[in-house]
Amino acid sequence: MTADTVVFLGDSLTQGGDWAGWFPDLTAVNLGIGGNTTDDVLGRLDSVVELDPDEIVLLIGTNDLGMRRNVESLVRNIQSILVQLRRDLPGSRMLVQSIMPRGREFSDRIHDANIHLRQFSATVHAQFLDLWPAMALDDGELNPAFSDDRLHLNDAGYEAWLSELRPALVRLRDLPPMTSPIRAIMLDDYARPTPQG
């Protein structure tokens, strides 16, 4: 039995991870690129599709906020990423990770974005992993023990992330692959109340 291929997709937070070393039982592919925004990831989804991975682990969005993009455009782009991946890789399992905490001045916008991402993930049959309880202080600041610059992670920060990610990947792999096509998804589904029938 061959090892599952897992793509870790995102920005410098993902790029800095030693995924192959941390998950030696998997075929880990690091597609994290420093400085990437959601637009950048949208523009390189073909490289993910070509790999036809068993699992995709996504963490993206903090650089959009650093460039003062609004939450709505950030969320809409991540929804587009997930819809395209689900359309082109119907059998891949997907794990959407909450946008990481950073400086507390970003916390309200990140919290708002994460609420939408949690709600939308189920729409594309993706799992959602909330990293905030492990990574943030009560005021929304990234725990200073995990970072030297309020953004990038040090070794302790990656350990804290892994403590959440390892069991999440086990749960993800226990799910059967999704083989049936999904219905057409409207990107505003999460904002629309469910009709009562």
Side-chain angles (χ1 to χ4, degrees):
M1 189 170 155
T2 58
D4 279 7
T5 298
V6 182
V7 165
F8 294 87
L9 178 62
D11 51 35
S12 61
L13 293 167
T14 296
Q15 184 181 33
D18 179 20
W19 306 111
W22 292 332
F23 295 98
D25 54 328
L26 303 174
T27 302
V29 181
N30 190 338
L31 291 185
I33 296 179
N36 260 199
T37 64
T38 54
D39 284 325
D40 297 318
V41 170
L42 262 173
R44 61 187 179 93
L45 291 181
D46 286 351
S47 63
V48 180
V49 174
E50 284 169 15
L51 292 166
D52 191 20
D54 298 283
E55 286 110 31
I56 301 161
V57 179
L58 176 68
L59 176 69
I60 195 65
T62 197
N63 289 323
D64 294 63
L65 295 171
M67 295 175 176
R68 307 211 175 283
R69 304 248 175 92
N70 64 38
V71 169
E72 183 182 358
S73 69
L74 157 67
V75 169
R76 194 172 298 281
N77 273 357
I78 295 178
Q79 290 173 341
S80 296
I81 290 167
L82 295 172
V83 168
Q84 287 187 40
L85 288 173
R86 178 51 73 219
R87 181 193 66 210
D88 295 339
L89 296 168
S92 296
R93 301 175 186 92
M94 294 195 297
L95 180 66
V96 181
Q97 299 171 98
S98 64
I99 300 169
M100 289 265 194
R102 51 187 296 179
R104 68 179 61 82
E105 65 273 18
F106 291 93
S107 64
D108 288 347
R109 282 175 289 158
I110 295 175
H111 183 68
D112 188 22
N114 284 337
I115 288 172
H116 291 306
L117 296 180
R118 179 193 292 276
Q119 291 172 338
F120 188 78
S121 294
T123 310
V124 288
H125 300 273
Q127 294 287 302
F128 182 81
L129 175 59
D130 186 1
L131 296 169
W132 272 61
M135 307 298 292
L137 301 179
D138 288 345
D139 64 358
E141 176 89 12
L142 175 61
N143 188 326
F146 299 156
S147 176
D148 302 320
D149 64 0
R150 306 172 83 215
L151 175 60
H152 299 95
L153 301 179
N154 57 24
D155 289 346
Y158 279 105
E159 281 302 319
W161 182 4
L162 284 168
S163 72
E164 301 296 313
L165 182 56
R166 287 183 194 279
L169 276 178
V170 171
R171 290 192 301 271
L172 186 71
R173 251 179 285 158
D174 283 344
L175 295 173
M178 206 197 81
T179 53
S180 57
I182 56 172
R183 65 178 179 81
I185 294 170
M186 301 301 294
L187 288 186
D188 282 331
D189 270 2
Y190 74 89
R192 218 173 270 128
T194 307
Q196 300 300 314

